[in-house]
Amino acid sequence: PGRNPVNPLVFRQMFRKLRCEDPSRPREVFRHLVALTRQWLRPDTHTKEQMIEMLVQEQFQIILREMLRAQQQKCPSWSDTLAESHCSFLAQPT
């Protein structure tokens, strides 16, 4: 009761894909972003530290993907080494 059965990652994707299609309604877009953020990060069940960790991990993964793509174009064998390092790094406690 009171729990949303939808996976929070669905709300994260909706948050990331949301676009303002009607520029005359910025407040509505802002409210919608706030609602999606709360459904994604679930401040009712996560601490501030956990929510920050979720945001940092997501951004870090985005940065690494961009690095991998760029480097793979320059040197395909280097991306294998970086991928192995990435897996090792993520396995370490923070």
Side-chain angles (χ1 to χ4, degrees):
R3 289 194 53 124
N4 194 331
V6 178
N7 185 335
L9 296 179
V10 171
F11 294 114
R12 180 193 65 132
Q13 291 172 345
M14 292 169 64
F15 174 87
R16 294 290 179 209
K17 292 180 181 181
L18 184 67
R19 299 292 176 258
C20 183
E21 295 176 11
D22 184 358
S24 67
R25 304 182 85 149
R27 287 185 182 172
E28 184 177 318
V29 171
F30 179 80
R31 285 187 199 112
H32 192 66
L33 280 171
V34 169
L36 289 172
T37 302
R38 290 184 184 282
Q39 291 168 316
W40 163 31
L41 296 176
R42 298 179 15 219
D44 56 326
T45 60
H46 293 108
T47 66
K48 288 180 184 180
E49 290 80 17
Q50 289 171 321
M51 290 185 290
I52 289 170
E53 183 72 21
M54 292 165 67
L55 293 168
V56 169
Q57 284 182 3
E58 178 178 340
Q59 187 62 30
F60 185 62
Q61 289 175 6
I62 290 168
I63 291 168
L64 284 179
R65 277 195 299 269
E66 291 171 359
M67 287 173 51
L68 279 172
R69 282 189 196 113
Q71 201 59 36
Q72 188 173 21
Q73 292 174 352
K74 294 178 185 176
C75 177
S77 63
W78 185 85
S79 64
D80 294 336
T81 304
L82 182 60
E84 291 172 11
S85 298
H86 173 236
C87 291
S88 298
F89 176 81
L90 292 178
Q92 296 175 4
T94 55

